[in-house]
């Protein structure tokens, strides 16, 4: 449970990010925190993200509450995370270093990592792609179409989005029928795409690595 309740503040934009899959939403205090949570939600290795997770003493009568604890199911150590803009005056002035040092020590004692994450790591083409793909996760799947998509990639190798969609249904006039299932497959990792580059109709899709040799 959070050790600090997020309240209303005229300087910030708060809210809650739904996590899907029956998991509780995550409260955030800014649009940058919201975007960080979206990235974490899309990471299939993330098993949980908790806001305001621990209170860490760093000086007499002083304590610090990092923004998030991110837990993983792939062997990575948990991340204790502070989300800050790179232009934050306190960050640039170095006045947060004592509390960050306490957080690093606390995290190390738990077998975790402490990280400060800025918009430089968050607001990337990957975030824009995730915003586009997340709504497709809830779309119904056309299993027959998925079989055809996989068969085409197995036979021909990697293909562009438009080419793959047209081959799957016999031409451009049926492309709109294919795209929801195709993008759903990308959103769930059933088709592989380079999410570090903007997704377009020319983006190259392939079978995921574990399926490529199947």
């Amino acid at each position: 449970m959070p050790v600090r309740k997020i309240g209303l503040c005229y300087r910030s934009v708060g809210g809650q990010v739904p996590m899907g899959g029956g998991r509780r939403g995550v409260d955030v205090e800014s649009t940058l925190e919201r975007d960080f949570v979206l990235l974490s939600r899309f990471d299939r290795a993330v098993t949980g993200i908790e806001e305001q997770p621990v209170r860490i003493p760093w000086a007499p009568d002083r304590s610090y509450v990092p923004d998030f604890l991110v837990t993983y199911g792939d062997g990575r150590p948990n991340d204790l995370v502070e989300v800050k803009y790179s232009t934050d005056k306190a960050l640039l002035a170095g006045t947060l270093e004592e509390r960050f040092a306490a957080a690093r020590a606390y995290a190390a004692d738990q077998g975790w990592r402490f990280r400060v994450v800025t918009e430089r790591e968050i607001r990337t083409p990957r975030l824009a792609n995730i915003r586009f793909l997340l709504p497709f996760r809830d779309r119904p799947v056309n299993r027959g179409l998925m079989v055809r998509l996989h068969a085409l990639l197995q036979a021909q190798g990697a293909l562009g989005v438009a080419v793959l969609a047209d081959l799957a249904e016999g031409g451009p006039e049926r492309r709109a029928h294919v795209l929801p299932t195709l993008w759903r497959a990308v959103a769930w990792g059933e088709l592989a795409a380079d999410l570090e580059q903007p997704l377009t109709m020319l983006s190259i899709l392939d079978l995921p690595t574990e399926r490529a040799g199947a």
Side-chain angles (χ1 to χ4, degrees), residues 22-42:
R23 296 177 292 179
R24 77 171 187 87
V26 176
D27 292 329
V28 297
E29 291 184 287
S30 70
T31 58
L32 190 61
E33 287 189 9
R34 175 203 63 200
D35 292 344
F36 173 78
V37 173
L38 284 175
L39 286 175
S40 299
R41 176 183 171 181
F42 199 80

Side-chain angles (χ1 to χ4, degrees), residues 31 49 51 55 65 69 87 95 106 113 121 127 131 137 146 165 171 186 200 213:
T31 58
I49 178 167
E51 73 276 17
R55 188 177 297 277
V65 180
L69 175 64
T87 54
T95 57
Y106 179 91
R113 302 179 298 182
E121 294 83 34
L127 177 65
R131 286 184 173 282
R137 280 190 167 185
M146 281 300 302
V186 174
T200 72

Side-chain angles (χ1 to χ4, degrees), residues 49-208:
I49 178 167
E50 182 181 355
E51 73 276 17
Q52 312 295 308
V54 293
R55 188 177 297 277
I56 302 169
W58 63 274
D61 301 321
R62 299 280 185 92
S63 63
Y64 162 53
V65 180
D67 292 318
F68 302 106
L69 175 64
V70 183
T71 56
Y72 301 95
D74 63 354
R76 275 183 283 174
N78 297 342
D79 280 335
L80 197 58
V81 175
E82 179 69 24
V83 175
K84 282 276 189 265
Y85 284 98
S86 60
T87 54
D88 183 278
K89 291 181 180 179
L91 185 66
L92 292 173
T95 57
L96 303 175
E97 281 307 312
E98 285 187 80
R99 66 196 71 186
F100 287 171
R104 281 190 287 270
Y106 179 91
D109 286 344
Q110 307 300 316
W112 303 344
R113 302 179 298 182
F114 173 73
R115 296 196 297 137
V116 178
V117 182
T118 74
E119 78 283 357
R120 294 171 180 170
E121 294 83 34
I122 296 171
R123 288 181 173 161
T124 63
R126 184 178 184 86
L127 177 65
N129 290 334
I130 286 170
R131 286 184 173 282
F132 169 69
L133 290 171
L134 274 173
F136 288 99
R137 280 190 167 185
D138 297 327
R139 296 289 188 93
V141 62
N142 182 328
R143 287 297 172 193
L145 179 54
M146 281 300 302
V147 169
R148 293 198 297 279
L149 293 172
H150 282 156
L152 284 164
L153 293 172
Q154 186 72 50
Q156 301 196 33
L159 295 168
V161 170
V163 173
L164 178 59
D166 294 350
L167 288 173
E169 283 288 279
E173 65 278 0
R174 293 283 291 166
R175 187 182 296 172
H177 173 72
V178 179
L179 289 176
T181 292
L182 185 151
W183 291 128
R184 182 189 186 280
V186 174
W188 284 107
E190 296 171 341
L191 295 178
D194 182 0
L195 297 183
E196 304 307 323
Q197 301 296 325
L199 287 174
T200 72
M201 296 302 292
L202 299 177
S203 296
I204 299 301
L205 302 183
D206 204 349
L207 293 174

